[in-house]
């Protein structure tokens, strides 16, 4: 297991699912971890008690609250930007405010969080954005707006990798495919359809994504930057 002893780590959107697995992984590696949550107060409290991490209430759609939460952590070694929302459906019928909130959380928040983290981040730090394989492929109807937000992450990490590279700071996206979580359970109504697109016909488990995040954040990830690290069982193959 990669040793993160003494490292200052912040996970944005860390109370459940992929985010909680990432909190657990870095805490198990010895890091000092804080994570944000918006609506899952009880889950956040349980995770904080389990791991010793600090739970911070901050809605990623609120730019000022998000920036304050990042700034409060001081000189970060690793920031993982996981908070995200999913809105699917007929674009002619979807609520415009729901789409705008998704853009706020999935696009604007990662940009502002990454920039604020970099202001005081230690040299050779790590910025990781949890994107989606849907940034590469949207094989079913109803996902245009969601795919737009995840494709935007690709441009974000490529550009910021150039901007922060002189300080040895890496910027990468991890792109999961179908992942076993409350949002998309392995036995959910869409599972069979999703598995039909995959080479390995099962959902990814959150801990598998957390291990990839730890690799990218560790010493072996020093020359991985501006990249899309896809973990999707061949969904986009």
């Amino acid at each position: 297991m990669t040793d993160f002893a003494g490292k200052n780590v912040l996970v944005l959107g860390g109370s459940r699912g992929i985010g909680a697995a990432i909190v657990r992984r870095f805490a198990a590696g010895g890091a000092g971890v804080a994570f944000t949550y918006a609506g899952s107060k009880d889950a956040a409290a349980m995770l904080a008690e389990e791991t010793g991490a600090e739970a911070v209430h901050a809605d990623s759609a609120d730019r000022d609250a998000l920036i304050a939460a990042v700034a409060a952590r001081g000189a970060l070694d690793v920031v993982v930007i996981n908070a995200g929302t999913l809105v699917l459906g007929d674009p002619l019928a979807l609520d415009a405010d729901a789409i705008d909130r998704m853009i706020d959380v999935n696009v604007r928040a990662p940009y502002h969080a990454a920039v604020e983290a970099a202001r005081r981040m230690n040299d050779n730090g790590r910025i990781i954005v949890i994107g989606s394989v849907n940034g590469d492929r949207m094989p079913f109807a109803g996902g245009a707006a969601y795919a737009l937000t995840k494709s935007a992450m690709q441009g974000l990490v490529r550009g910021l990798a150039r901007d922060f590279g002189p300080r040895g700071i890496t910027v990468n996206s991890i792109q999961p495919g179908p992942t076993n979580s409350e949002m998309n359970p392995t036995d959910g109504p869409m599972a069979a359809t999703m598995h039909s697109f995959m080479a390995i016909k099962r959902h990814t488990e959150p801990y598998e994504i957390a291990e990839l995040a730890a690799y990218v954040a560790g010493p072996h990830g020093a020359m991985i930057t501006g990249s899309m690290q896809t973990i999707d069982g061949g969904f986009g193959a």
Side-chain angles (χ1 to χ4, degrees), residues 63 123 125 174 182 206-207 232-233:
R63 183 182 65 192
D123 287 354
I174 291 176
E182 291 180 22
Y207 79 86
D232 71 343

Side-chain angles (χ1 to χ4, degrees), residues 10 18 23 27 29 40 53 61 68 85 87 89 122 128 155 164 168-169 173 185 214 224 233 236:
L10 175 64
I18 293 170
V23 170
S40 303
T85 63
V87 180
N122 292 315
I128 299 171
F164 302 149
I169 295 172
S173 175
I224 302 172

Side-chain angles (χ1 to χ4, degrees), residues 92-161:
L92 300 179
L94 289 172
D95 178 63
D97 288 340
I99 297 301
D100 283 350
R101 176 176 170 79
M102 181 168 65
I103 292 170
D104 285 342
V105 174
N106 292 9
V107 180
R108 293 190 176 99
Y111 175 83
H112 291 300
V115 170
E116 186 62 29
R119 292 186 192 282
R120 54 189 62 79
M121 179 171 269
N122 292 315
D123 287 354
N124 304 310
R126 304 283 190 267
I127 297 171
I128 299 171
V129 179
I130 306 299
S132 169
V133 69
N134 290 131
D136 292 328
R137 185 187 189 202
M138 176 46 69
F140 50 83
Y146 179 71
L148 177 156
T149 67
K150 296 307 179 178
S151 294
M153 291 301 90
Q154 298 178 348
L156 171 73
V157 302
R158 290 183 179 115
L160 292 184

